[in-house]
Amino acid sequence: MKVFSMKIIPLLLGTLFLFGCYARQQVHSIPDFTATQFDSNEYASAVDNFLIIMDASSSMDDDYMGNKKFIIALEIINRLNLTLPELLQNGGLRSFGHDKAVSEKNTVLFYGMEPYSTKALKEKLNLIKTSGGTSPMHSALTEAGQDLNGVSGKTAMVIISDGQEAYGMGHSITLAAAQALKNQLGPGLCYYPVIIGDNNKGTDLMEKISGMGECGFATNADTLLTGDGMARFVKDVFLTQKTIRPMAPKDSDNDGVTDNMDKCPGTPHGTMVNADGCPPVTQKPAPAITETLNAQGAWVIDEAYFDFDKAVVKPSAFEFLDNIAEFLKNNPEVFININGHTDNIGTKAYNDVLSLRRAEAVKTYLTNKGIEKNRLACQGFAFSKPVASNKTDKGRALNRRVEIYPVK
């Protein structure tokens, strides 16, 4: 006996150790949760009404995967509430079972039916603090008929339960109550049971209820505890994506050519334009470039002054600059100074940089036409050399310019 005992004790201890490890492996903590935020500009409510029926009976006090089923049910409703956007749908929360500290009644409508509010549903859910009592799901379904009496449109009923009815009563009375409610509301009612636990009979009951609705489905509670799982459930049950109509292309300058096709934006309204938004090109002889020097001996890019706070050469300057480039090619001994200017809006330091950028933009254009960089010198004078009054829009526009001085 002593030898037998010495051999059997390690075996028993090993078995208990393995069993303890196995049991610990089955305990699953409730995962962390981050609610998905659905944009009300992108989604609309797919339902007009929803009613959550929560099992708060004594069977929900049992453990499932290391957590009380009642706690899992509360957490699912809380996470659903955090994910579901307020979209003018009516909502409600009814529970059944109950510890006497919660209610003497076996089923109570704690919230609704009223326009859904995240805050209001949370406050009412907090009143259901503990589980207890029998499991009269059939009573909750029957009373739900009164909750939903007179509603119209589509209704989603979310039943959160382990599906275990009281005292082995069987499921026939519960299925009959669910069918009666379906008959009352017709095709607009869809059942979405959420199964907590792994009781086979309870799962069978919940799946039969979902099939009765002909438009719903049953879900295991485990899948709704994650942010992604709850987001899929909310999207599938409660939401529909809005049809986003493409915006008509803009025509900012009203020239009959939309902005996405307009190669000459800013063409004045009323100007005749081609399909690309640019005025028709008219062939005209190149001007005698040497005859266009102003009194100071400079070329000024006529009708191509820069926009406010911009250093972009306008298309209307291209032809004039092309003529200057051609002149420089024919006269390789000529160098040029390119002087940029601004109006007086803004600080001197800022306009110093802006005026130089305008000069460099003209230099870049000419170098792209084949003129050597060493023949082109740039300077910026900010607003130190105005040619017109800066007190008017027209005067400031004339001051936003580039002057080109030929030097031999």
Side-chain angles (χ1 to χ4, degrees), residues 119-397:
K119 179 180 178 182
L121 177 55
K122 180 181 178 180
E123 290 175 351
K124 298 302 182 182
L125 179 63
N126 289 337
L127 298 177
I128 310 174
K129 298 182 181 298
T130 185
S131 56
T134 59
S135 303
M137 185 189 297
H138 61 281
S139 297
L141 290 169
T142 300
E143 292 299 321
Q146 296 299 318
D147 303 336
L148 299 171
N149 186 35
V151 303
S152 59
K154 188 172 181 179
T155 300
M157 179 165 290
V158 180
I159 304 173
I160 304 174
S161 172
D162 58 8
Q164 295 178 229
E165 277 283 38
Y167 304 119
M169 186 182 297
H171 293 159
S172 59
I173 189 171
T174 301
L175 292 174
Q179 185 62 60
L181 186 57
K182 177 66 178 178
N183 294 342
Q184 173 186 332
L185 297 179
L189 174 65
C190 300
Y191 287 115
Y192 299 97
V194 177
I195 307 165
I196 302 178
D198 50 12
N199 180 276
N200 291 334
K201 289 184 178 180
T203 299
D204 179 65
L205 170 65
M206 300 286 270
E207 290 179 345
K208 284 181 178 178
I209 292 175
S210 70
M212 188 179 300
E214 299 176 357
C215 53
F217 54 83
T219 305
N220 189 285
D222 300 5
T223 66
L224 302 187
L225 290 173
T226 65
D228 289 343
M230 181 57 75
R232 286 192 297 271
F233 181 76
V234 168
K235 189 174 180 180
D236 290 343
V237 175
F238 294 92
L239 303 178
T240 183
Q241 197 155 15
K242 291 181 179 180
T243 301
I244 301 177
R245 297 180 180 178
M247 294 180 63
K250 290 184 178 180
D251 178 13
S252 300
D253 54 10
N254 295 313
D255 62 357
V257 181
T258 56
D259 291 353
N260 60 319
M261 301 295 293
D262 199 334
K263 294 183 179 180
C264 295
T267 307
H269 177 58
T271 303
M272 182 178 295
V273 296
N274 293 323
D276 60 0
C278 297
V281 177
T282 57
Q283 296 297 327
K284 59 182 181 180
I289 194 69
T290 55
E291 297 177 3
T292 58
L293 295 171
N294 64 14
Q296 287 74 39
W299 290 304
V300 179
I301 306 174
D302 194 25
E303 298 181 359
Y305 300 97
F306 291 82
D307 288 333
F308 174 71
D309 199 27
K310 301 295 183 184
V312 179
V313 178
K314 293 185 177 181
S316 52
F318 293 170
E319 181 181 7
F320 195 81
L321 290 175
D322 289 345
N323 291 332
I324 292 177
E326 189 66 25
F327 172 82
L328 293 173
K329 289 178 182 179
N330 295 331
N331 297 272
E333 75 283 2
V334 177
F335 291 70
I336 61 173
N337 293 328
I338 307 172
N339 298 342
H341 301 270
T342 69
D343 58 32
N344 69 344
I345 297 177
T347 65
K348 181 180 183 302
Y350 183 85
N351 281 289
D352 281 339
V353 175
L354 179 59
S355 60
L356 183 58
R357 286 173 54 211
R358 287 174 176 169
E360 290 175 341
V362 172
K363 177 180 178 179
T364 298
Y365 186 93
L366 294 175
T367 57
N368 288 339
K369 293 296 180 177
I371 308 303
E372 299 87 346
K373 290 183 180 180
N374 63 347
R375 298 174 64 190
L376 313 174
C378 293
Q379 284 185 285
F381 290 90
F383 44 69
S384 63
K385 296 185 177 183
V387 295
S389 172
N390 277 305
K391 295 182 179 180
T392 65
D393 290 341
K394 183 177 181 180
R396 287 191 295 271

Side-chain angles (χ1 to χ4, degrees), residues 9-19:
I9 289 174
L11 179 62
L12 289 172
L13 290 174
T15 302
L16 290 173
F17 175 77
L18 291 174
F19 178 79

